[in-house]
Amino acid sequence: MHQDLDTASEMKAIVARGDQNNAKLTSMDLDDVDQLLSELRALSEPNYVKKMAHFGIDVSRAFGIRVPKIRALAKVVGKNQSLSLRLWATGFHEARLLASFIGDYKLVDEAQISAWTRDFNSWDICDQACATLFVKTPFVSKKVFEFAKDDGEFVKRAGFVLMAALAVHLKKAPNETFLEYFPLIEMAAADQRNFVKKVVNWALRQIGKRNALLHAEALQTAQRILAQQNKNANWVALDALRELNSDAVLRRLRLK
């Protein structure tokens, strides 16, 4: 009982701190880039920068902030397209993550998508901008093909992140939408760059988990990738086959 009271007291303290932080934020000018940068610096954890670097994140302009904290700040700031563009222009890692979270997809144009994608220098910013913001725009289908065929590491990655995100978000999209992606996956499977091959694998798995028809085509695509007899391509295919043939996936698709 005493332990429960202690736990309750700790929870109240956490909530109180959160309320204080929200009060501080709401008293700020939330349209002021400099004030938001100051807030981001205040949220930083210097030791977390090392963890980010361990996971292959470019930390050259990073403060060291956990993503949930940035999302919480984004919730307070709200959607603000103008501020999103100004935060992105600062070049700071977490400012660009915040920019991705507060951007208004209804106001994002094709030029912005192209410009931001050319700026990508880290997989996490690429993934968040694509899966949080770009995927909701009317330009996404065109950009999948454009980016997936690009030679730039993070531009190419963006194309396959968009595929994976569309496979999750476009619940009513016809199979034909995703059948067009398999040749792109097959062509990119042998890419030796880690941040490309992993996302190619991700796209193959996500599309293959949509329904039975796409599952069957994903399995066939994996077999064709194996036939390339390439070390990187083998990893993409075998890892995808492990998940796609798992009991959990087969049961969900009613194939077992």
Side-chain angles (χ1 to χ4, degrees), residues 158-177:
F160 292 96
V161 172
L162 289 173
M163 286 184 204
L166 287 170
V168 174
H169 295 298
L170 287 188
K171 303 295 185 184
K172 297 181 180 180
N175 288 330
E176 287 72 22
T177 297

Side-chain angles (χ1 to χ4, degrees), residues 101-161:
F101 298 149
I102 68 171
D104 186 344
Y105 75 90
K106 296 177 183 177
L107 301 177
V108 173
D109 58 23
E110 188 176 355
Q112 179 187 337
I113 295 175
S114 296
W116 280 26
T117 301
R118 297 293 170 186
D119 284 343
F120 291 158
N121 64 344
S122 194
W123 65 264
D124 61 326
I125 292 179
C126 171
D127 292 8
Q128 295 292 359
C130 289
T132 303
L133 187 60
F134 298 167
V135 73
K136 300 174 184 177
T137 70
F139 313 104
V140 62
S141 295
K142 176 183 177 181
K143 291 303 181 183
V144 164
F145 290 95
E146 177 185 333
F147 294 159
K149 295 176 182 177
D150 197 279
D151 291 330
E153 181 175 13
F154 292 112
V155 177
K156 183 176 285 291
R157 181 180 177 90
F160 292 96
V161 172

